[in-house]
Amino acid sequence: MLRMETIQYNLPQNRIPLAWYNIVADLPKPMAPPLHPGTLKPLGPDDLAPLFPMSLIMQEVSTEREIEIPGEVRQVYAQWRPSPLFRARRLEQALDTPAHIYYKNEGVSPAGSHKPNTAVPQAFYNKQAGTKRLSTETGAGQWGSALAMACAFFGMECKVYMVRVSYDQKPYRRALMEVFGASVTASPSSETQTGRAILAAHPDSNGSLGIAISEAVEIAASDPHTKYALGSVLNHVMLHQTVIGLEAIEQMALAGDEPDVILACAGGGSNFAGLTMPYVGRNLKGQSHARIVAVEPAACPSLTKGQFTYDFGDTGHLTPLVKMHTLGSTFMPPGIHAGGLRYHGMAPLVSHVKDLGLIEATAVHQLDAFAAGIQFARAEGIVPAPESNHAIAGAIYEALEAKREGKPRTILFNLSGHGNFDMQSYIDFQAGKLQNYEYPAEEIAMALAGLPTVL
Amino acid sequence: MLRMETIQYNLPQNRIPLAWYNIVADLPKPMAPPLHPGTLKPLGPDDLAPLFPMSLIMQEVSTEREIEIPGEVRQVYAQWRPSPLFRARRLEQALDTPAHIYYKNEGVSPAGSHKPNTAVPQAFYNKQAGTKRLSTETGAGQWGSALAMACAFFGMECKVYMVRVSYDQKPYRRALMEVFGASVTASPSSETQTGRAILAAHPDSNGSLGIAISEAVEIAASDPHTKYALGSVLNHVMLHQTVIGLEAIEQMALAGDEPDVILACAGGGSNFAGLTMPYVGRNLKGQSHARIVAVEPAACPSLTKGQFTYDFGDTGHLTPLVKMHTLGSTFMPPGIHAGGLRYHGMAPLVSHVKDLGLIEATAVHQLDAFAAGIQFARAEGIVPAPESNHAIAGAIYEALEAKREGKPRTILFNLSGHGNFDMQSYIDFQAGKLQNYEYPAEEIAMALAGLPTVL
C-alpha cells in the first residue's frame, strides 16, 4: 500500500483561537489617528457611536495585544473553523518546483470567503447592544453574503445596498443573500437622500461602492435601531480576521514547516491582514523571518503606486479622513473582475506596517491572475475567487523562483474564497474577452492631486 | 467563558477508509442479474469490456465484502475526505425539537457534491488501464463537474455530453467543467449518429439524459482509447460511495450517539447508497436497528410508486436490462429543479434492499423541499443543492415527529451537495414561480404498461 502524503492539516474545534491578536500593541510606532472631516481633529469614540456599538468602537481604538473572542462567536466559528491548511502537492508537481506550497482555505466558510470571520462578531456585538437591523453595502457580494448569513444566525434584519451593476450582473449572489433573509436593494436607490439625488442627476447610474456606503450609512445614522457594518479597512475588521493567521501558525507547526514567504491578495486589506498580522508580530519578536507580501491588481495598485497620506474612505467624502496608501478617493478603478480589490485605498493598519517596512507589496495583471487560478483549479480542484487568483499568481511566481535557484522555499498563501459565484469571469477569460489594464497613471495623478491637505 | 458545544466531528486524513464496503456479500438473497438486451441472457464481464476497464467490471460483479481503496485514490480523497459530520444544533433550536440532527456534508468536495467519491476511482482505474479519454453525460451537472475534475487530476481528457436544456440554462456549471479542462458539448449533438438522427427529426430538441447517455456510450464504443463513465445506478458506483457511511459510523461514535433514523435523497441511488449501505450491513448483523429512509421527489417516485421489474436504464433502450424499481423507461419526469432526482429508475442494489424490506422510502413535494432548504440555510449557513433539500425535508419531518411525541430521536442525513450552482431555483422558489406536481399517475401507468416482459 502506498504511503499517504499529508495534504490537509486540520485542527479540532477546541483549537479555535481564544483571542484575536491586535498587532497595534506590538508596533514600533503608533498609527496616525483618523480625523473628523469637519474639524480635522482626531476622532473620538463618541463620533462613531451613531454607526457602531461601543464594544466595536473600543476594539477599533484598542491597544491591548489580545482581545478575547466571545464564546458565542467561537460557537458560530465552529461551523467552519479552524479552516483547513492544505499542502498543494499536486500544484508543486505541476510546477516541478522544490518549493513547498501551503494555503489556508477560507473558501470553506458557509458564505464562501473569509468575510464571515468579521461578519459574525459584528452581528454578535450588535445583537448584544440591542441593534435590530444592520445596514451595509456590497460590491462583488462576498461581504454582503457574509453579513446576511451572520444576521440570520443572530436573528437580526439585514439591509444590503448592492452596487447597481453587480445587482444586475450577479443575480445569484443577490439570491444567496435573499436565501439568508436579507433585503437587497440596488444602489443608488430611491430609499435615501443620497440615492435620490444621484438618481435625479443620473437616472441610469451604475452605482459605485462609494455611493452604496453613503446609502447604508445614511439609513443607519437616521434610525436608532439600525447600525452600520463595514467588511474591511477598519482596525476591528483586521482584528477579527487574525483567526486566520493564528490558526495557520499552529497548522504550519503541525506540518513541521516554517514559511519563508507569506502572500495574500489585498484590496481593502482584511484578508491580507488576517493571515499576515500574526506573522508580522512574530517577525517583530524575532520568532520568524518570513517575507510578507501583499499582492494587488496592477490596475488598482494602492500599496505599490499610491501615496501614504490622509484621504477619505469613500468617493462621496462622508467618512473620516484616514492615513493610508491611496490612489485618491475620486479615482475610479478599471473594471477588473476581482471586484473585492477595486478600492482606491488600503486599510490604515496595513498601510502603516507597509510604511514601517514590515511588509512588501507587488502587483499582478488580470490575465496572469486568471491563468494562475486555472492552473490551481486543475491541480487542486478548487476554483478560486478572482481576488484569490492574485495571491496564487504571487505564490506560483515564488515557486518558480525557487526552481530557478534550485533551492527549497516554503510558501504560504491565503485562499480568500471560492469562485463559485464568479464563473462569468472565467467564461470571459477562457473566451479571450478579458484584458490587462495599463497602469492608469494619469487618472491616479489627477486623483492624488485633488487630495485634501490636512496636516 | 461559555462552554462550547461540539458541532463538527472530524476525522484525520489517516482515517479515510482503507476499503469500500460491498453489501452484496451480506445480502440474505442475491440480486437478479442484468440481462443482455438482445439475448435476454445474464450479462457477462466481456459484454461490458468495450465501455469499462476490467478492474471496474470486476467490482461491478464482485461478492467480496471489502474492496481495497488504492493508495492513489485515498491520496486524492484526502483533498476533502474524511468529510465533516455536523450536529445541526441551530436547526434543532429553530425547530425546538428534542431530536438530535446530524448531517454528513458531502458539499465540501471540490466539485461540490458526493460525485467525486466515484469519479476519482473511475478515473484512476481507467488511467491504469491506459484509457486516454473518458466520455460521460450530465444533466444537472454535478456528475460532469466531478468527472472533469478527476480527469484533470489524472491527466486524461474528458468529454461531457450535457443535456441541451441544462447547457443553455446553466452556463456556470458548464464553465466549471471547462475550467477543469473538459470538453462540453450540448446534447443532442452532430458528433454522433444518435445525435444526428435526433437532430434530423427534432432540430430544436431540448435533449434528455437518455439521449446524452447514448451519445457518450457511442463515442466510447467506437474509439479504443475512450471509455465511458457513469455517475450512478451501477454497483461499482454504489460501492465507491460507501466511504460516506463508513466515515459516518466512526463519526457518530465520536459524537457518542447512534442514529435512530437515517435519511438521504434518492435519484439514481448513489448518494443514498453511499451513506446507508454500511448501516444496512450493520442492521443485518444486529449491530444497529436504525430505520433507513430514501427520500424521493413526489413527481418522480420510483421507490414509492414504481414497479420492481426488469427495465432499460435509458430512454433509448441501448443499455442492458436491469431489475429495479422503475416508472417505465419511457416516462419523462416533470421539470422539477432537483435535476439529479429526475430518473425513471433506481439503482438495482437500492431497489433490491428495498424489495427485501431493509429500507423504507418516502416522497416529498418540491415546494416542501425548498422550504426545508431555506430553513436549513438560515440555521446552518449552507445553501443546499435542490436534491439535498429532499433529505432535509425528511429530517425536519422526523424532528417534528419527535417533538410531537416529546421523545428524543437521533437523526442522520446526507447533505449530498451545495446549491451554489442552483441559485436560479431558489430565485424562482422565493418569487413563487415553482409549483408542486401532481403524481403523474397516467403517464407512469402508460410507461409501465410498455415494459418488456422478459422473465
Side-chain angles (χ1 to χ4, degrees), chain A residues 79, chain B residues 6-9 85-95 97 99-103 376 379-380 411 413:
Chain A
Q79 191 76 24
Chain B
T6 304
I7 57 176
Q8 270 202 56
Y9 297 91
L85 178 83
F86 282 91
R87 170 93 181 264
R89 291 191 191 261
R90 278 193 299 274
L91 180 62
E92 291 171 16
Q93 272 174 1
L95 296 170
T97 174
H100 294 184
I101 307 176
Y102 295 87
Y103 58 99
F376 180 83
E380 299 292 310
I411 302 163
F413 74 90

Side-chain angles (χ1 to χ4, degrees), chain B residues 8-353:
Chain B
Q8 270 202 56
Y9 297 91
N10 290 313
L11 297 172
Q13 176 176 319
N14 61 17
R15 299 304 301 163
I16 293 171
L18 293 166
W20 294 296
Y21 169 64
N22 184 12
I23 195 169
V24 169
D26 290 326
L27 289 176
K29 185 182 152 190
M31 292 172 66
L35 304 181
H36 191 287
T39 65
L40 298 188
K41 295 254 167 66
L43 219 60
D46 287 347
D47 294 319
L48 295 169
L51 296 184
F52 304 103
M54 200 43 74
S55 43
L56 285 174
I57 296 172
M58 289 295 106
Q59 290 183 358
E60 185 64 22
V61 299
S62 172
T63 55
E64 294 292 311
R65 183 171 291 107
E66 296 201 324
I67 295 177
E68 186 184 323
I69 306 177
E72 295 88 340
V73 170
R74 293 180 79 231
Q75 185 67 63
V76 178
Y77 276 172
Q79 191 76 23
W80 74 97
R81 305 215 71 85
S83 70
L85 178 83
F86 282 91
R87 170 93 181 264
R89 291 191 191 261
R90 278 193 299 274
L91 180 62
E92 291 171 16
Q93 272 174 1
L95 296 170
D96 188 24
T97 174
H100 294 184
I101 307 176
Y102 295 87
Y103 58 99
K104 184 81 168 153
N105 185 2
E106 291 296 309
V108 301
S109 86
S113 80
H114 65 295
K115 293 291 188 190
N117 295 335
T118 185
V120 169
Q122 289 194 49
F124 167 76
Y125 288 117
N126 271 288
K127 178 76 178 182
Q128 218 179 25
T131 306
K132 301 277 181 245
R133 185 171 73 152
L134 281 175
S135 73
T136 197
E137 70 290 329
T138 202
Q142 297 272 28
W143 167 242
S145 323
L147 194 68
M149 184 192 80
C151 285
F153 287 173
F154 289 102
M156 272 186 290
E157 290 175 55
C158 184
K159 174 81 190 174
V160 182
Y161 290 92
M162 188 173 188
V163 176
R164 163 61 77 181
V165 61
S166 293
Y167 184 92
D168 291 337
Q169 286 177 356
K170 292 188 155 191
Y172 296 161
R173 184 56 89 172
R174 171 161 48 99
L176 179 61
M177 295 183 258
E178 289 171 347
V179 164
F180 289 137
S183 159
V184 185
T185 304
S187 167
S189 79
S190 58
E191 298 175 356
T192 65
Q193 287 187 3
T194 313
R196 285 189 294 272
I198 288 163
L199 286 175
H202 309 282
D204 298 327
S205 168
N206 268 335
S208 76
L209 216 44
I211 296 168
I213 292 177
S214 302
E215 292 204 275
V217 165
E218 184 182 321
I219 66 156
S222 63
D223 173 3
H225 299 299
T226 300
K227 296 283 181 189
Y228 169 70
L230 188 64
S232 193
V233 178
L234 297 176
N235 289 352
H236 69 269
V237 179
M238 307 293 126
L239 175 76
H240 298 156
Q241 293 292 355
T242 57
V243 287
I244 304 173
L246 293 169
E247 290 174 6
I249 288 170
E250 267 205 65
Q251 289 165 309
M252 288 300 300
L254 270 187
D257 228 338
E258 181 70 35
D260 297 307
V261 54
I262 301 169
L263 307 103
C265 64
S270 78
N271 153 70
F272 174 77
L275 175 65
T276 65
M277 287 307 133
Y279 276 104
V280 172
R282 290 181 92 216
N283 279 356
L284 281 169
K285 290 169 205 130
Q287 294 167 346
S288 57
H289 309 277
R291 288 169 48 223
I292 294 173
V293 186
V295 190
E296 55 184 12
C300 188
S302 55
L303 279 172
T304 50
K305 302 276 191 179
Q307 200 168 313
F308 184 49
T309 185
Y310 273 98
D311 193 5
F312 293 97
D314 67 331
T315 314
H317 293 186
L318 299 174
T319 70
L321 287 158
V322 292
K323 192 166 181 191
M324 61 178 176
H325 286 82
T326 179
L327 301 167
S329 44
T330 57
F331 171 63
M332 191 65 73
I336 55 169
H337 272 276
L341 307 183
R342 290 182 68 233
Y343 184 61
H344 69 274
M346 179 55 63
L349 181 64
V350 173
S351 295
H352 185 67
V353 298

Side-chain angles (χ1 to χ4, degrees), chain A residues 68-90:
Chain A
E68 187 183 323
I69 306 177
E72 294 88 341
V73 171
R74 293 180 80 232
Q75 185 67 64
V76 179
Y77 275 171
Q79 191 76 24
W80 74 97
R81 305 214 72 84
S83 70
L85 178 83
F86 283 91
R87 169 95 180 263
R89 291 190 190 262
R90 277 193 300 274

